[in-house]
Amino acid sequence: NTHMILALDITDREEALKIAEDVWEFVDAIKVGYPLILATGLGIIRELAEFTPVIADFKVADIPNTNRLICDQVFEAGADAVIAQGFTGRDSLDACVEIASEYRKDVFVVSEMSHPGGADFMQPVAEAIAKMALEAGAFGLVAPATRPERVKKIRKIIGDKLTIISPGVGAQGGRASDVIAAGADWVIVGRSIYKAKFPKEAARQIAEEIQDEIRGEY
Ligand code: BMP
């Protein structure tokens, strides 16, 4: 377990597969989203699933019926988990959880986003979203590595019942060890790996930083 997820926001299929092949041993999952899928098609999910589990980051944020239709497509395409927004409310989230459970797959819910604007409107509702995600039977939350103190707060609310995956490490200024110390289970890293001159080395370094932090805790 490396406690690291690769965010593969690359728009060239060959390049994306090359990076996945290069770094898969240092990550526990690959997160794909609009940039890669819109550029290369949904079929890339099955190709990447050869290397690791795939998290489909579509930030699903619609009415329950549309959420159901979206999640069906995502899981039919071979994804192991989907990311949904929480602000659309309990019924919309329930729809995602319902479809995921039919496929025996997982839902992650965004509580608050990692960019500076994520503090504008999302932060005040993040704790309510975290509680809702817990009650709805989601698998985990997406919480910001750029604000470890917020991850700590969210962890207090949800206890050990939900997994926290945390983007914002490296390019956005967060540190992997800080957010793991704050209670995240996995860090999500994109540019710091796929834009590095040597992606494998970059991945290895962050993985080591995480392992050092975890060892230090015991
Ligand atoms: P990077 O390490 O290059 O900053 O990539 C972070 C990834 O996590 C991107 O795919 C981004 O869309 C996603 N993400 C984020 O950065 N902050 C959030 O709050 C939620 C996200 O999904």
Side-chain angles (χ1 to χ4, degrees), residues 7 39 43 54-56 66 69 82 92 98 103 107 110 113 117 127 150 155 162 164 179 193 201 214:
V54 174
I55 300 173
T66 308
L69 294 168
V82 71
S92 290
E98 174 196 319
Y103 285 87
V107 178
V110 181
M113 294 184 72
E127 288 155 42
R150 295 290 303 156
R155 173 55 79 198
L162 295 180
I164 297 177
V179 74
I193 293 176
E201 266 322 297
I214 290 170

PDB file of all heavy atoms in Angstrom, residues 7 39 43 54-56 66 69 82 92 98 103 107 110 113 117 127 150 155 162 164 179 193 201 214:
ATOM      1  N   ALA A   7      -3.144  11.191 -10.406  1.00  0.00           N
ATOM      2  CA  ALA A   7      -4.151  11.918 -11.193  1.00  0.00           C
ATOM      3  C   ALA A   7      -3.610  12.055 -12.611  1.00  0.00           C
ATOM      4  O   ALA A   7      -2.657  12.801 -12.853  1.00  0.00           O
ATOM      5  CB  ALA A   7      -4.419  13.293 -10.587  1.00  0.00           C
ATOM      6  N   ALA A  39     -10.593  13.507 -24.263  1.00  0.00           N
ATOM      7  CA  ALA A  39      -9.601  13.482 -25.343  1.00  0.00           C
ATOM      8  C   ALA A  39      -9.472  12.101 -25.979  1.00  0.00           C
ATOM      9  O   ALA A  39      -9.257  11.989 -27.190  1.00  0.00           O
ATOM     10  CB  ALA A  39      -8.244  13.943 -24.816  1.00  0.00           C
ATOM     11  N   GLY A  43     -12.942   4.237 -23.302  1.00  0.00           N
ATOM     12  CA  GLY A  43     -12.209   2.969 -23.381  1.00  0.00           C
ATOM     13  C   GLY A  43     -10.884   2.997 -22.640  1.00  0.00           C
ATOM     14  O   GLY A  43     -10.356   1.945 -22.258  1.00  0.00           O
ATOM     15  N   VAL A  54      -9.135   1.956 -11.115  1.00  0.00           N
ATOM     16  CA  VAL A  54      -9.333   3.276 -11.719  1.00  0.00           C
ATOM     17  C   VAL A  54     -10.485   4.015 -11.029  1.00  0.00           C
ATOM     18  O   VAL A  54     -11.585   3.474 -10.873  1.00  0.00           O
ATOM     19  CB  VAL A  54      -9.633   3.145 -13.234  1.00  0.00           C
ATOM     20  CG1 VAL A  54      -9.981   4.507 -13.844  1.00  0.00           C
ATOM     21  CG2 VAL A  54      -8.439   2.534 -13.964  1.00  0.00           C
ATOM     22  N   ILE A  55     -10.197   5.234 -10.610  1.00  0.00           N
ATOM     23  CA  ILE A  55     -11.223   6.105 -10.012  1.00  0.00           C
ATOM     24  C   ILE A  55     -11.659   7.105 -11.079  1.00  0.00           C
ATOM     25  O   ILE A  55     -10.832   7.841 -11.622  1.00  0.00           O
ATOM     26  CB  ILE A  55     -10.653   6.858  -8.790  1.00  0.00           C
ATOM     27  CG1 ILE A  55     -10.172   5.862  -7.725  1.00  0.00           C
ATOM     28  CG2 ILE A  55     -11.708   7.817  -8.210  1.00  0.00           C
ATOM     29  CD1 ILE A  55      -9.433   6.515  -6.558  1.00  0.00           C
ATOM     30  N   ALA A  56     -12.954   7.111 -11.402  1.00  0.00           N
ATOM     31  CA  ALA A  56     -13.472   8.016 -12.434  1.00  0.00           C
ATOM     32  C   ALA A  56     -13.924   9.321 -11.776  1.00  0.00           C
ATOM     33  O   ALA A  56     -14.929   9.371 -11.074  1.00  0.00           O
ATOM     34  CB  ALA A  56     -14.624   7.354 -13.172  1.00  0.00           C
ATOM     35  N   THR A  66     -30.276  11.620 -13.442  1.00  0.00           N
ATOM     36  CA  THR A  66     -29.106  11.809 -14.310  1.00  0.00           C
ATOM     37  C   THR A  66     -27.859  11.205 -13.659  1.00  0.00           C
ATOM     38  O   THR A  66     -27.038  10.577 -14.339  1.00  0.00           O
ATOM     39  CB  THR A  66     -28.924  13.307 -14.633  1.00  0.00           C
ATOM     40  OG1 THR A  66     -30.161  13.823 -15.133  1.00  0.00           O
ATOM     41  CG2 THR A  66     -27.840  13.529 -15.668  1.00  0.00           C
ATOM     42  N   LEU A  69     -27.827   7.575 -14.361  1.00  0.00           N
ATOM     43  CA  LEU A  69     -27.436   7.270 -15.741  1.00  0.00           C
ATOM     44  C   LEU A  69     -25.932   7.420 -15.928  1.00  0.00           C
ATOM     45  O   LEU A  69     -25.281   6.609 -16.597  1.00  0.00           O
ATOM     46  CB  LEU A  69     -28.189   8.191 -16.714  1.00  0.00           C
ATOM     47  CG  LEU A  69     -29.715   7.975 -16.772  1.00  0.00           C
ATOM     48  CD1 LEU A  69     -30.395   9.115 -17.525  1.00  0.00           C
ATOM     49  CD2 LEU A  69     -30.042   6.637 -17.430  1.00  0.00           C
ATOM     50  N   VAL A  82     -16.307   6.096  -8.385  1.00  0.00           N
ATOM     51  CA  VAL A  82     -16.667   7.351  -9.035  1.00  0.00           C
ATOM     52  C   VAL A  82     -16.564   8.456  -7.987  1.00  0.00           C
ATOM     53  O   VAL A  82     -16.742   8.202  -6.798  1.00  0.00           O
ATOM     54  CB  VAL A  82     -18.101   7.267  -9.634  1.00  0.00           C
ATOM     55  CG1 VAL A  82     -19.176   7.260  -8.543  1.00  0.00           C
ATOM     56  CG2 VAL A  82     -18.363   8.392 -10.624  1.00  0.00           C
ATOM     57  N   SER A  92     -29.370  13.039  -4.536  1.00  0.00           N
ATOM     58  CA  SER A  92     -28.436  12.883  -5.662  1.00  0.00           C
ATOM     59  C   SER A  92     -27.300  11.925  -5.305  1.00  0.00           C
ATOM     60  O   SER A  92     -26.895  11.088  -6.112  1.00  0.00           O
ATOM     61  CB  SER A  92     -27.853  14.241  -6.067  1.00  0.00           C
ATOM     62  OG  SER A  92     -28.855  15.033  -6.670  1.00  0.00           O
ATOM     63  N   GLU A  98     -26.445   4.020  -4.807  1.00  0.00           N
ATOM     64  CA  GLU A  98     -27.307   2.910  -5.230  1.00  0.00           C
ATOM     65  C   GLU A  98     -26.705   2.176  -6.440  1.00  0.00           C
ATOM     66  O   GLU A  98     -26.581   0.947  -6.448  1.00  0.00           O
ATOM     67  CB  GLU A  98     -28.691   3.486  -5.576  1.00  0.00           C
ATOM     68  CG  GLU A  98     -29.696   2.525  -6.170  1.00  0.00           C
ATOM     69  CD  GLU A  98     -30.861   3.300  -6.816  1.00  0.00           C
ATOM     70  OE1 GLU A  98     -31.317   4.309  -6.224  1.00  0.00           O
ATOM     71  OE2 GLU A  98     -31.284   2.914  -7.920  1.00  0.00           O
ATOM     72  N   TYR A 103     -23.072  -2.477  -8.644  1.00  0.00           N
ATOM     73  CA  TYR A 103     -21.854  -2.967  -9.311  1.00  0.00           C
ATOM     74  C   TYR A 103     -20.787  -3.408  -8.289  1.00  0.00           C
ATOM     75  O   TYR A 103     -19.692  -3.775  -8.665  1.00  0.00           O
ATOM     76  CB  TYR A 103     -21.266  -1.875 -10.211  1.00  0.00           C
ATOM     77  CG  TYR A 103     -22.027  -1.642 -11.497  1.00  0.00           C
ATOM     78  CD1 TYR A 103     -23.097  -0.756 -11.552  1.00  0.00           C
ATOM     79  CD2 TYR A 103     -21.665  -2.293 -12.674  1.00  0.00           C
ATOM     80  CE1 TYR A 103     -23.789  -0.526 -12.731  1.00  0.00           C
ATOM     81  CE2 TYR A 103     -22.346  -2.067 -13.863  1.00  0.00           C
ATOM     82  CZ  TYR A 103     -23.405  -1.180 -13.886  1.00  0.00           C
ATOM     83  OH  TYR A 103     -24.086  -0.953 -15.057  1.00  0.00           O
ATOM     84  N   VAL A 107     -18.123   5.000  -4.054  1.00  0.00           N
ATOM     85  CA  VAL A 107     -18.347   6.423  -4.333  1.00  0.00           C
ATOM     86  C   VAL A 107     -17.513   7.271  -3.373  1.00  0.00           C
ATOM     87  O   VAL A 107     -17.531   7.046  -2.159  1.00  0.00           O
ATOM     88  CB  VAL A 107     -19.837   6.805  -4.149  1.00  0.00           C
ATOM     89  CG1 VAL A 107     -20.042   8.307  -4.401  1.00  0.00           C
ATOM     90  CG2 VAL A 107     -20.731   5.989  -5.076  1.00  0.00           C
ATOM     91  N   VAL A 110     -16.851  14.756  -2.833  1.00  0.00           N
ATOM     92  CA  VAL A 110     -16.036  15.953  -2.606  1.00  0.00           C
ATOM     93  C   VAL A 110     -16.691  16.762  -1.489  1.00  0.00           C
ATOM     94  O   VAL A 110     -17.865  17.118  -1.577  1.00  0.00           O
ATOM     95  CB  VAL A 110     -15.956  16.827  -3.872  1.00  0.00           C
ATOM     96  CG1 VAL A 110     -15.073  18.053  -3.604  1.00  0.00           C
ATOM     97  CG2 VAL A 110     -15.441  16.037  -5.065  1.00  0.00           C
ATOM     98  N   MET A 113     -13.086  21.788  -1.967  1.00  0.00           N
ATOM     99  CA  MET A 113     -12.017  21.644  -2.959  1.00  0.00           C
ATOM    100  C   MET A 113     -10.729  22.349  -2.542  1.00  0.00           C
ATOM    101  O   MET A 113     -10.705  23.231  -1.699  1.00  0.00           O
ATOM    102  CB  MET A 113     -12.515  22.078  -4.336  1.00  0.00           C
ATOM    103  CG  MET A 113     -13.594  21.115  -4.831  1.00  0.00           C
ATOM    104  SD  MET A 113     -14.174  21.456  -6.488  1.00  0.00           S
ATOM    105  CE  MET A 113     -12.740  20.920  -7.429  1.00  0.00           C
ATOM    106  N   GLY A 117     -10.305  29.107  -4.242  1.00  0.00           N
ATOM    107  CA  GLY A 117     -11.749  29.350  -4.320  1.00  0.00           C
ATOM    108  C   GLY A 117     -12.581  28.301  -3.587  1.00  0.00           C
ATOM    109  O   GLY A 117     -13.760  28.539  -3.296  1.00  0.00           O
ATOM    110  N   GLU A 127     -18.470  20.296   6.345  1.00  0.00           N
ATOM    111  CA  GLU A 127     -18.709  19.377   7.460  1.00  0.00           C
ATOM    112  C   GLU A 127     -20.066  18.698   7.340  1.00  0.00           C
ATOM    113  O   GLU A 127     -20.215  17.508   7.636  1.00  0.00           O
ATOM    114  CB  GLU A 127     -18.539  20.121   8.785  1.00  0.00           C
ATOM    115  CG  GLU A 127     -17.055  20.414   9.019  1.00  0.00           C
ATOM    116  CD  GLU A 127     -16.772  21.596   9.919  1.00  0.00           C
ATOM    117  OE1 GLU A 127     -17.469  21.731  10.949  1.00  0.00           O
ATOM    118  OE2 GLU A 127     -15.848  22.375   9.606  1.00  0.00           O
ATOM    119  N   ARG A 150      -8.023  21.306   7.746  1.00  0.00           N
ATOM    120  CA  ARG A 150      -9.402  20.969   7.365  1.00  0.00           C
ATOM    121  C   ARG A 150      -9.580  19.447   7.285  1.00  0.00           C
ATOM    122  O   ARG A 150     -10.614  18.909   7.645  1.00  0.00           O
ATOM    123  CB  ARG A 150      -9.752  21.616   6.021  1.00  0.00           C
ATOM    124  CG  ARG A 150      -9.764  23.129   6.051  1.00  0.00           C
ATOM    125  CD  ARG A 150     -10.928  23.660   6.841  1.00  0.00           C
ATOM    126  NE  ARG A 150     -12.185  23.157   6.297  1.00  0.00           N
ATOM    127  CZ  ARG A 150     -13.303  23.050   6.997  1.00  0.00           C
ATOM    128  NH1 ARG A 150     -13.333  23.384   8.277  1.00  0.00           N
ATOM    129  NH2 ARG A 150     -14.399  22.578   6.433  1.00  0.00           N
ATOM    130  N   ARG A 155     -11.693  14.527   9.487  1.00  0.00           N
ATOM    131  CA  ARG A 155     -11.386  13.192  10.041  1.00  0.00           C
ATOM    132  C   ARG A 155     -12.059  13.011  11.392  1.00  0.00           C
ATOM    133  O   ARG A 155     -12.585  11.944  11.709  1.00  0.00           O
ATOM    134  CB  ARG A 155      -9.855  13.015  10.137  1.00  0.00           C
ATOM    135  CG  ARG A 155      -9.394  11.756  10.837  1.00  0.00           C
ATOM    136  CD  ARG A 155      -9.982  10.499  10.235  1.00  0.00           C
ATOM    137  NE  ARG A 155      -9.315  10.076   9.022  1.00  0.00           N
ATOM    138  CZ  ARG A 155      -9.850   9.228   8.135  1.00  0.00           C
ATOM    139  NH1 ARG A 155     -11.067   8.741   8.325  1.00  0.00           N
ATOM    140  NH2 ARG A 155      -9.200   8.883   7.054  1.00  0.00           N
ATOM    141  N   LEU A 162     -14.963   6.481   7.048  1.00  0.00           N
ATOM    142  CA  LEU A 162     -14.781   6.812   5.627  1.00  0.00           C
ATOM    143  C   LEU A 162     -13.302   7.000   5.333  1.00  0.00           C
ATOM    144  O   LEU A 162     -12.530   7.426   6.190  1.00  0.00           O
ATOM    145  CB  LEU A 162     -15.518   8.115   5.260  1.00  0.00           C
ATOM    146  CG  LEU A 162     -17.047   8.151   5.330  1.00  0.00           C
ATOM    147  CD1 LEU A 162     -17.544   9.522   4.918  1.00  0.00           C
ATOM    148  CD2 LEU A 162     -17.651   7.088   4.422  1.00  0.00           C
ATOM    149  N   ILE A 164     -10.326   8.969   3.384  1.00  0.00           N
ATOM    150  CA  ILE A 164     -10.096  10.317   2.833  1.00  0.00           C
ATOM    151  C   ILE A 164      -9.008  10.251   1.769  1.00  0.00           C
ATOM    152  O   ILE A 164      -7.897   9.768   2.043  1.00  0.00           O
ATOM    153  CB  ILE A 164      -9.683  11.326   3.926  1.00  0.00           C
ATOM    154  CG1 ILE A 164     -10.804  11.499   4.957  1.00  0.00           C
ATOM    155  CG2 ILE A 164      -9.319  12.680   3.303  1.00  0.00           C
ATOM    156  CD1 ILE A 164     -10.450  12.438   6.111  1.00  0.00           C
ATOM    157  N   VAL A 179      -0.435  16.036   5.001  1.00  0.00           N
ATOM    158  CA  VAL A 179      -1.846  15.675   4.925  1.00  0.00           C
ATOM    159  C   VAL A 179      -2.081  14.231   5.382  1.00  0.00           C
ATOM    160  O   VAL A 179      -3.130  13.910   5.929  1.00  0.00           O
ATOM    161  CB  VAL A 179      -2.447  15.995   3.533  1.00  0.00           C
ATOM    162  CG1 VAL A 179      -1.971  15.004   2.490  1.00  0.00           C
ATOM    163  CG2 VAL A 179      -3.967  15.998   3.604  1.00  0.00           C
ATOM    164  N   ILE A 193       4.003  14.415 -10.656  1.00  0.00           N
ATOM    165  CA  ILE A 193       4.518  13.164 -11.208  1.00  0.00           C
ATOM    166  C   ILE A 193       4.557  13.217 -12.731  1.00  0.00           C
ATOM    167  O   ILE A 193       5.615  13.071 -13.341  1.00  0.00           O
ATOM    168  CB  ILE A 193       3.671  11.952 -10.732  1.00  0.00           C
ATOM    169  CG1 ILE A 193       3.842  11.762  -9.217  1.00  0.00           C
ATOM    170  CG2 ILE A 193       4.063  10.688 -11.500  1.00  0.00           C
ATOM    171  CD1 ILE A 193       2.993  10.653  -8.619  1.00  0.00           C
ATOM    172  N   GLU A 201      10.843   8.470 -10.780  1.00  0.00           N
ATOM    173  CA  GLU A 201      11.619   8.966  -9.641  1.00  0.00           C
ATOM    174  C   GLU A 201      10.775   9.885  -8.768  1.00  0.00           C
ATOM    175  O   GLU A 201      10.827   9.828  -7.534  1.00  0.00           O
ATOM    176  CB  GLU A 201      12.875   9.713 -10.118  1.00  0.00           C
ATOM    177  CG  GLU A 201      14.101   8.850 -10.198  1.00  0.00           C
ATOM    178  CD  GLU A 201      14.191   7.838  -9.053  1.00  0.00           C
ATOM    179  OE1 GLU A 201      14.286   8.283  -7.878  1.00  0.00           O
ATOM    180  OE2 GLU A 201      14.128   6.623  -9.296  1.00  0.00           O
ATOM    181  N   ILE A 214       4.365   7.665   7.865  1.00  0.00           N
ATOM    182  CA  ILE A 214       3.572   6.610   8.496  1.00  0.00           C
ATOM    183  C   ILE A 214       4.409   5.864   9.535  1.00  0.00           C
ATOM    184  O   ILE A 214       3.949   5.599  10.639  1.00  0.00           O
ATOM    185  CB  ILE A 214       3.017   5.636   7.428  1.00  0.00           C
ATOM    186  CG1 ILE A 214       1.934   6.349   6.611  1.00  0.00           C
ATOM    187  CG2 ILE A 214       2.469   4.372   8.077  1.00  0.00           C
ATOM    188  CD1 ILE A 214       1.493   5.591   5.392  1.00  0.00           C
TER     189      ILE A 214
END
